[in-house]
Amino acid sequence: MPQLGLLRRKAWAALLSQLVRPPCAVSVRTVGGHSQVAEAILTSQLKHEEKPDFIIKVPKGTRDLSPQQMVIREKILDTVVSCFKRHGARGLDTPAFELKDMLTEKSEENFGLVYDLKDQGGELLSLRYDLTVPFARYLAMNKLKKMKRYQVGKVWRREKPTVAQGRYREFCQCDFDIAGHFDPMIPDAECLKIICEILSGLQLGDFLIKVNDRRIVDGMFAVCGVPESKFRAICASVDKLDKMSWKDVRHEMVVKKGLAPEVADQIGDYVQCHGGISLLEKMFQDPKLSQSKQALEGLRDLKLLFEYLTLFGIAEKISFDLSLARGLDYYTGVIYEAVLLKSTAPAGEEPLNVGSVAAGGRYDDLVATFDPKGYKVPCVGLSIGVERIFYIVEQKMKTSGEMVRTTETQVFVVTPQKNFLRERLKLIAELWDAGIKAEMLYKENPKLLKQLHYCENTGIPLAVIIGEQEQKEGTIKLRLVASREEVAIKRENLVAEIQKRLSLS
């Protein structure tokens, strides 16, 4: 602070020289001016001295993505979106924030998830916590009775992040939904087929899709003796069985939520069952569950669903799991969740465990909550867990040592001599105009070795070299970067030759 200190002393000296003058010579305006200067300097210095240490960081539960990470993410999103389009979905986008009442209309449980925004214009707003509720609002607002859509976007949830397992407060969701009145289980089966196609295409390893039905869950609670007022609370406890043992879940239901122990034990007999079509048949014959009309409706739909899944050739990837509950209130029918089966990890490493990587279900009543006349538009959909999938793919690439190219540059324009900037600019413009991805160094006279090293370090496959000799002969030297082989090409044939070589690579 030597300069600031000097200014401070000068200000005080000027002020003092004015004050020691005879009263008649003192200019009030001058004294006032020097006082303001001194005060400003002192205030600035105090502010600087009192400023706390500033830590540069991202908010908790968020992250930056490096160019290498963006390449991985874009490949994942390309696989997901291309599958959605293959099944006839149309793209949609909705605002990142909604009216708070819209997001919390269906359930007060969502209050704890929502990030509220400061009131700026008389509206209470919140960041969206999923893409499903905005989609339902869009359908109701535009009076749409059917739509097959996909949407990719960020959502925000105010919950404890687990970065090591790919869980964040800000994360990307990829949703696919079918809205409209259709025959039972046909759209639902297609959603499960899409999940299988995406997870297989991403080559994440073995996976299993658990399915259940909220009507079976509610029917199970009813026949076991759960008071209807506790259905949602007990459902939320059962939904934790993928993270907690049955003993711990039972303790939560009995001690924290006041459920009778004998009722909890009856629930335990059901929620520890999982299997295929044979378990479905067994549940039809169950003396208690078969007394619930609601549960029987769910069982009949699941039986039909398994018939369609068999025709799609994916029945072996599906498990009827009575522990699956899906905590969100808007689900009304079939629900599902895809999990990766733990594979053997390399020596000294823990197997990757990130929970579910895709989930969804049927929500037939959600649109009606936004429609003034309560008109129902049945919907079923799925959401792909991009962050968790990204975490798995990234860890696998680190383990294998696979390198990632952060650019798609195909050709690098090189010169071995000085004063060739204009020729390089004309040449690269010709490549760009032909749709070829090309780069060059932003130097008038770059060194040859630096240019060639850049090609090799960034994985650019081809380099075109122009110098005095090439200019005289009307040729361009084409260099295959990996093998360092060079061939002379006629100037007028350069673009065609590059396109030919790129098409073969």
Side-chain angles (χ1 to χ4, degrees):
M1 298 290 295
Q3 292 181 340
L4 189 57
L6 179 62
L7 285 172
R8 182 181 173 186
R9 288 195 296 274
K10 285 182 177 179
W12 278 116
L15 180 60
L16 189 60
S17 68
Q18 291 290 332
L19 292 174
V20 296
R21 288 182 183 180
C24 60
V26 175
S27 167
V28 174
R29 184 175 178 182
T30 305
V31 172
H34 285 307
S35 297
Q36 290 170 0
V37 171
E39 184 179 353
I41 293 172
L42 284 170
T43 303
S44 174
Q45 186 173 12
L46 285 172
K47 282 183 178 179
H48 186 84
E49 289 173 353
E50 292 172 3
K51 187 176 181 181
D53 291 338
F54 183 69
I55 301 173
I56 302 176
K57 61 187 283 292
V58 296
K60 186 177 181 181
T62 67
R63 62 172 169 176
D64 295 319
L65 291 176
S66 69
Q68 289 83 1
Q69 291 173 317
M70 281 302 299
V71 172
I72 299 171
R73 175 179 285 250
E74 286 170 2
K75 286 182 178 178
I76 293 170
L77 293 179
D78 285 347
T79 300
V80 173
V81 172
S82 64
C83 181
F84 291 163
K85 290 180 177 180
R86 187 163 62 245
H87 285 261
R90 294 178 291 170
L92 178 70
D93 193 26
T94 56
F97 51 86
E98 298 268 352
L99 295 174
K100 183 174 181 177
D101 288 346
M102 292 287 179
L103 296 179
T104 55
E105 175 73 22
K106 188 63 180 170
S107 172
E108 292 187 2
E109 288 181 13
N110 296 328
F111 283 170
L113 292 176
V114 170
Y115 277 104
D116 294 331
L117 301 179
K118 188 175 181 180
D119 181 13
Q120 294 288 343
E123 293 182 328
L124 295 178
L125 306 173
S126 299
L127 293 175
R128 64 191 181 197
Y129 62 83
D130 72 2
L131 300 178
T132 305
V133 174
F135 175 54
R137 187 266 306 154
Y138 176 84
L139 291 172
M141 190 175 79
N142 293 282
K143 296 180 171 54
L144 298 175
K145 307 308 179 190
K146 69 166 76 171
M147 186 179 189
K148 185 189 288 189
R149 84 87 167 87
Y150 76 89
Q151 184 172 353
V152 177
K154 285 188 174 183
V155 299
W156 296 264
R157 293 186 185 177
R158 199 174 65 190
E159 57 187 3
K160 186 177 180 181
T162 312
V163 176
Q165 293 184 347
R167 295 175 66 93
Y168 293 87
R169 286 177 170 170
E170 177 189 69
F171 55 96
C172 178
Q173 278 194 338
C174 297
D175 280 20
F176 173 98
D177 293 83
I178 301 172
H181 291 268
F182 302 105
D183 289 341
M185 296 298 103
I186 301 174
D188 311 63
E190 183 173 8
C191 286
L192 291 168
K193 180 73 167 72
I194 288 170
I195 292 176
C196 285
E197 288 180 14
I198 289 172
L199 296 183
S200 298
L202 291 170
Q203 300 180 347
L204 301 175
D206 288 338
F207 62 89
L208 185 70
I209 304 176
K210 303 175 185 179
V211 300
N212 200 0
D213 194 295
R214 282 295 279 266
R215 293 167 295 179
I216 297 175
V217 175
D218 288 349
M220 174 182 68
F221 288 163
V223 300
C224 289
V226 179
E228 191 171 347
S229 61
K230 291 184 182 291
F231 272 21
R232 296 284 73 85
I234 299 305
C235 183
S237 294
V238 171
D239 196 43
K240 297 176 183 176
L241 278 169
D242 61 335
K243 309 176 190 73
M244 298 164 53
S245 67
W246 165 246
K247 181 180 177 182
D248 292 335
V249 169
R250 183 187 184 279
H251 179 269
E252 179 179 287
M253 290 194 296
V254 173
V255 176
K256 295 183 179 180
K257 299 187 177 178
L259 192 67
E262 61 274 15
V263 174
D265 290 337
Q266 290 183 62
I267 293 172
D269 292 338
Y270 285 110
V271 298
Q272 296 179 77
C273 295
H274 53 86
I277 192 70
S278 59
L279 179 60
L280 266 173
E281 298 292 352
K282 182 180 177 182
M283 289 298 107
F284 271 113
Q285 307 303 321
D286 185 85
K288 285 192 296 185
L289 199 60
S290 60
Q291 299 304 308
S292 168
K293 181 181 177 183
Q294 203 176 15
L296 285 175
E297 287 176 359
L299 288 168
R300 279 193 287 269
D301 275 353
L302 282 188
K303 185 176 180 181
L304 181 60
L305 178 66
F306 266 91
E307 289 180 22
Y308 296 154
L309 297 177
T310 300
L311 294 172
F312 280 153
I314 59 171
E316 73 282 357
K317 293 289 186 182
I318 314 297
S319 171
F320 173 36
D321 194 322
L322 283 161
S323 71
L324 182 64
R326 300 291 294 150
L328 291 171
D329 279 358
Y330 51 63
Y331 288 117
T332 58
V334 172
I335 50 178
Y336 34 84
E337 185 174 277
V339 295
L340 297 183
L341 302 177
K342 287 186 180 180
S343 56
T344 305
E349 293 185 21
E350 289 289 324
L352 294 175
N353 182 21
V354 295
S356 65
V357 291
R362 177 161 285 281
Y363 51 102
D364 288 347
D365 299 335
L366 186 57
V367 176
T369 63
F370 300 117
D371 189 281
K373 296 181 180 179
Y375 185 85
K376 283 189 178 182
V377 179
C379 299
V380 64
L382 64 98
S383 182
I384 302 296
V386 175
E387 306 300 341
R388 296 182 182 184
I389 291 173
F390 173 82
Y391 173 75
I392 295 163
V393 174
E394 188 179 32
Q395 294 304 309
K396 285 187 173 183
M397 292 182 74
K398 284 180 180 178
T399 302
S400 66
E402 183 179 343
M403 299 298 292
V404 177
R405 273 198 72 191
T406 56
T407 73
E408 297 180 4
T409 306
Q410 299 165 315
V411 180
F412 197 81
V413 179
V414 176
T415 182
Q417 287 142 350
K418 293 182 179 181
N419 302 320
F420 269 82
L421 175 61
R422 286 171 177 76
E423 291 301 320
R424 284 191 293 140
L425 291 174
K426 285 192 288 184
L427 184 53
I428 200 168
E430 187 179 340
L431 297 177
W432 287 334
D433 291 343
I436 295 169
K437 299 168 185 174
E439 278 189 84
M440 63 177 229
L441 286 188
Y442 303 127
K443 291 277 190 180
E444 283 193 33
N445 300 303
K447 294 181 179 179
L448 176 61
L449 201 57
K450 187 174 182 179
Q451 296 172 82
L452 297 178
H453 279 169
Y454 182 85
C455 295
E456 293 179 356
N457 293 337
T458 55
I460 299 173
L462 298 174
V464 292
I465 303 172
I466 183 168
E468 291 177 359
Q469 183 180 347
E470 288 78 20
Q471 195 171 34
K472 286 178 184 177
E473 296 174 354
T475 62
I476 296 289
K477 200 173 286 181
L478 184 62
R479 180 184 175 96
L480 280 61
V481 176
S483 64
R484 300 185 178 180
E485 176 190 348
E486 294 181 354
V487 291
I489 307 292
K490 285 188 177 181
R491 179 71 173 78
E492 61 270 20
N493 298 336
L494 178 64
V495 169
E497 181 65 25
I498 289 174
Q499 290 173 334
K500 176 184 172 183
R501 288 177 181 267
L502 290 175
S503 67
L504 295 174
S505 60

